Amino acid sequence: MRKKFITVLIPSLIIASILSSCSSKSNINNAAKATKVSSVKDQYITAKSPNKNPKKAVEHKDTFISAISEPGGVFLPYFYDNGWDGNATEPIFPSLVGTDEKGNPIADLAKTWDISSDNLTYTYHLRKDLKFSDGSPLTADDVAFTLTLLDDPSYNGSFDISTCYIKGSDDYKKGSATSISGIQVVDPLTIKITTEKVNPLNLTKLGGQVLSKAYYGKDYQKGKLDYLKALYSKPLGAGPYKLDKYIPGQEIRYKANETYYNGKPKIENLIFKVTSKDTNLQLFETGDVDYDSFSTDKDTVDQIENLGFANIRISTVSDYGYVYMNNKKSYLKDKNVRQALIYGLDRQKIVDVAYKGYGEVATVPTSPLVWSYNTDGVNKYKFDPEKAKKLLDADGWKLNSNGIREKNGQKLKLSYLTSKNTDQTIPVAKENYKALGIDFEPEIMDFNTLVEKLNKGDYDLAAVRTSGLVDPNDSVEEFSSKKASENVTGYYNSKVDDLISEGVSTLNVKKRKVIYQKLYKELSNDPPVILIDYRKSLRAWNSRIKGLDNNNFAGVSSTNLSKLKIEN
């Protein structure tokens, strides 16, 4: 899949292609059978009084303003750590193969594709006359360059192209070949990619976002990718929009791309405005922002509905919230301690306070919308403080005179990183863990600092959300010890490693379901993280923006941005 997105805040900007970058059609067809989240039904509420539009919104005659949280300024696909940067690249960089609102593959830069009968060879047929925003042509050579860049021995991003098993990839990395034999440019509009093993994710993984060879490859030398850092803030793509200006902490401005293959977007200006949960509702009410997500509760729904000019969608989100446990720390290596941290945390209370009936406690590491979702035989870890105490006692953590557990002279003191001022886990964990004899110390910081600490392993516990999930591999591959760049928890379990690999070794959905059921049981018995919640989202947009109501995600993507229009 694309780079793993560490999303601590509920996303303001939901992008359909991120939600479904690793999907396959057979996978999505099974999603309808999955369990719904909470008793609150999905709802779509249309604006009752569009004429009540605020003056500021009406004045934005040719500008669509969508909210975003904390971009970090790395606007280059495959190279960012911050998921908001992934959102920011979406209008600029289209993929060979896109995805619709249900996650099914659809034509984007590639008009068609062929897959061999053995599912090992992928041939993409590009559209004619594709151009980057500077007017230069986009051809199969650019696709080949992008894949080669991802296979460079010095590439250290978390897009793991090795799982595509491209023929000749290893020889290229080791230096015994000057090119990758499995990547064949047939002609300017055709590229053939031969792999050595089956991977059900390969169609969209190999058919991802395309980088310009002339622009990003001008200074390319094998094994030396640092030169790309100078281009992080100067993106060049072939999407519906091109970057105009980035003002850190405030907004990202885009201009419509007149060279876009699907026609210049009808809306000239696109702005991603940085908002927070403290200000977003006010900015939406005044017309400073056209689209955002909000706290999911009945009062907020009623408040937005009463504005009159807003379209509202309440829908199950294909993600889950959880807490990283740093398995590299000596006091978190033992699964007894990790299990105790789950048993001893009243997760139901956290969900009740945070979502007020619009969420439920997570039990397996995937979304209830994903076809592999199955809780049979899985430990639900019902809140049980006494069991937590027994596990800690059994592991040698004894209470000292101050009521704090110690082992071999070390106190059980845990830091907890979050970027949310309103993180409902903090008050619950403080109370619960104090009762267990654990010194719990929350630290609230900006999102990008939190990401840096995670990547350095400088944490004990940290609040995160997954990006949007469609394929079951999306949410479990980070627990594989073979994925060093993604496995920020330092978790190691050889059985889990094997099951994760098995999960992407076949296209047979029935076989994959069995594999993931085994995997969920093993991850339940030896938990790498604390699962917290599944949720519904509340998204609203100004009804003058047409084209956002045609899918359940109500989001913006490179494939639908050019179709949006404004009707004041």
Side-chain angles (χ1 to χ4, degrees):
M1 66 183 293
R2 293 185 187 141
K3 178 165 287 237
K4 177 75 177 179
F5 299 133
I6 302 171
T7 309
V8 182
L9 298 176
I10 297 173
S12 299
L13 178 66
I14 305 297
I15 294 179
S17 65
I18 290 178
L19 290 173
S20 48
S21 62
C22 301
S23 65
S24 69
K25 194 167 186 176
S26 59
N27 295 348
I28 295 302
N29 290 338
N30 289 276
K33 302 175 183 177
T35 304
K36 291 283 186 181
V37 176
S38 80
S39 59
V40 178
K41 293 182 179 179
D42 286 6
Q43 301 175 54
Y44 177 39
I45 304 170
T46 57
K48 296 176 180 178
S49 305
N51 59 340
K52 289 186 177 181
N53 242 312
K55 183 180 178 181
K56 283 187 178 180
V58 176
E59 289 174 349
H60 298 152
K61 297 184 183 299
D62 205 11
T63 302
F64 170 43
I65 305 176
S66 182
I68 196 169
S69 284
E70 297 185 61
V74 180
F75 303 145
L76 181 59
Y78 313 112
F79 286 84
Y80 47 77
D81 293 311
N82 181 336
W84 305 115
D85 286 348
N87 291 359
T89 67
E90 183 68 17
I92 304 171
F93 295 92
S95 300
L96 289 180
V97 180
T99 45
D100 65 15
E101 67 274 9
K102 294 182 179 179
N104 298 322
I106 58 174
D108 198 354
L109 294 177
K111 63 178 181 178
T112 60
W113 52 84
D114 303 310
I115 304 175
S116 61
S117 58
D118 61 3
N119 294 298
L120 292 177
T121 301
Y122 296 77
T123 304
Y124 298 92
H125 305 280
L126 277 63
R127 299 177 187 275
K128 293 181 180 179
D129 300 321
L130 291 173
K131 293 181 180 179
F132 291 102
S133 61
D134 65 350
S136 61
L138 188 160
T139 70
D141 281 330
D142 297 296
V143 181
F145 165 72
T146 302
L147 295 173
T148 301
L149 196 69
L150 296 174
D151 245 323
D152 190 275
S154 66
Y155 173 73
N156 62 357
S158 57
F159 184 97
D160 187 1
I161 200 169
S162 68
T163 59
C164 293
Y165 305 110
I166 300 175
K167 184 178 179 181
S169 173
D170 289 341
D171 291 336
Y172 179 72
K173 284 185 176 180
K174 294 174 182 176
S176 56
T178 57
S179 62
I180 302 171
S181 60
I183 301 175
Q184 180 186 356
V185 175
V186 179
D187 58 50
L189 299 181
T190 312
I191 186 166
K192 180 184 290 187
I193 304 166
T194 303
T195 65
E196 296 179 317
K197 292 183 181 180
V198 169
N199 186 330
L201 313 180
N202 269 354
L203 176 62
T204 50
K205 192 166 185 178
L206 294 171
Q209 292 165 297
V210 179
L211 307 182
S212 165
K213 181 179 180 180
Y215 184 69
Y216 289 105
K218 183 173 59 176
D219 298 318
Y220 173 66
Q221 295 181 46
K222 184 179 178 182
K224 300 178 180 180
L225 297 184
D226 281 349
Y227 75 94
L228 288 170
K229 292 179 180 178
L231 301 177
Y232 284 173
S233 61
K234 304 173 184 178
L236 174 70
Y241 285 88
K242 52 189 177 182
L243 182 68
D244 180 32
K245 188 175 184 180
Y246 170 49
I247 307 174
Q250 296 184 43
E251 61 188 30
I252 310 169
R253 300 174 185 171
Y254 304 82
K255 287 287 186 181
N257 177 15
E258 60 276 3
T259 69
Y260 182 51
Y261 78 83
N262 204 26
K264 182 180 177 180
K266 297 178 177 65
I267 301 175
E268 178 67 28
N269 303 295
L270 170 67
I271 296 176
F272 287 171
K273 188 177 184 67
V274 176
T275 68
S276 70
K277 291 300 174 184
D278 296 327
T279 62
N280 66 345
L281 186 53
Q282 179 183 351
L283 291 172
F284 185 74
E285 289 176 351
T286 57
D288 290 280
V289 170
D290 293 315
Y291 174 65
D292 205 344
S293 67
F294 304 90
S295 300
T296 310
D297 58 73
K298 186 65 167 58
D299 289 343
T300 304
V301 173
D302 291 342
Q303 188 173 351
I304 296 176
E305 186 176 3
N306 289 335
L307 295 174
F309 64 82
N311 291 328
I312 301 169
R313 187 174 290 280
I314 301 167
S315 57
T316 303
V317 182
S318 193
D319 67 9
Y320 65 89
Y322 58 119
V323 173
Y324 276 143
M325 294 187 281
N326 191 342
N327 289 239
K328 291 183 179 180
K329 296 295 180 77
S330 59
Y331 38 89
L332 292 173
K333 281 184 178 180
D334 195 296
K335 75 176 183 180
N336 279 1
V337 176
R338 285 181 270 125
Q339 286 184 345
L341 291 175
I342 305 175
Y343 277 121
L345 184 63
D346 193 345
R347 296 177 295 155
Q348 186 64 59
K349 180 183 289 187
I350 295 171
V351 172
D352 289 344
V353 174
Y355 297 109
K356 301 176 177 64
Y358 290 81
E360 66 179 26
V361 174
T363 51
V364 293
T366 193
S367 161
L369 296 181
V370 175
W371 53 263
S372 64
Y373 179 81
N374 189 331
T375 63
D376 293 346
V378 170
N379 186 347
K380 306 297 194 303
Y381 284 96
K382 296 291 186 181
F383 181 50
D384 191 340
E386 294 307 312
K387 190 162 189 175
K389 291 176 182 178
K390 290 178 181 178
L391 286 167
L392 292 171
D393 287 338
D395 204 51
W397 291 96
K398 305 299 183 181
L399 291 173
N400 64 19
S401 57
N402 295 320
I404 302 298
R405 291 184 180 269
E406 287 188 10
K407 181 179 180 180
N408 299 326
Q410 181 180 20
K411 294 180 181 179
L412 190 51
K413 179 179 179 180
L414 301 177
S415 66
Y416 172 80
L417 310 187
T418 180
S419 68
K420 290 179 65 177
N421 289 319
T422 57
D423 190 332
Q424 302 299 338
T425 298
I426 292 176
V428 177
K430 272 187 174 180
E431 179 183 349
N432 291 166
Y433 288 158
K434 182 178 181 181
L436 297 179
I438 297 172
D439 187 355
F440 176 80
E441 294 193 354
E443 298 180 41
I444 301 172
M445 61 196 63
D446 70 85
F447 179 73
N448 294 302
T449 300
L450 188 148
V451 172
E452 289 178 9
K453 282 182 169 288
L454 288 177
N455 287 333
K456 293 177 181 178
D458 183 17
Y459 75 98
D460 294 323
L461 308 174
V464 293
R465 289 205 81 84
T466 69
S467 57
L469 308 172
V470 175
D471 190 90
N473 184 67
D474 294 356
S475 57
V476 297
E477 64 178 351
E478 69 169 328
F479 302 136
S480 171
S481 65
K482 300 175 183 177
K483 306 271 187 179
S485 62
E486 294 186 33
N487 189 353
V488 298
T489 62
Y491 177 75
Y492 173 73
N493 181 318
S494 60
K495 188 174 181 180
V496 166
D497 285 351
D498 292 342
L499 288 169
I500 291 173
S501 297
E502 286 180 37
V504 291
S505 65
T506 176
L507 273 66
N508 187 302
V509 172
K510 288 184 178 179
K511 290 181 179 179
R512 294 186 77 198
K513 279 185 176 181
V514 173
I515 294 168
Y516 286 110
Q517 186 174 9
K518 292 179 181 177
L519 177 59
Y520 296 152
K521 288 180 181 179
E522 184 61 28
L523 288 171
S524 174
N525 177 58
D526 183 21
V529 299
I530 303 173
L531 300 175
I532 299 294
D533 67 83
Y534 305 127
R535 67 185 173 99
K536 286 184 182 290
S537 71
L538 165 59
R539 294 187 282 277
W541 62 98
N542 192 298
S543 60
R544 58 190 260 285
I545 308 296
K546 306 300 180 183
L548 286 174
D549 53 353
N550 59 356
N551 67 70
N552 187 50
F553 299 119
V556 294
S557 71
S558 63
T559 53
N560 76 0
L561 271 172
S562 63
K563 302 173 185 177
L564 300 182
K565 60 182 180 179
I566 296 176
E567 292 182 2
N568 282 313

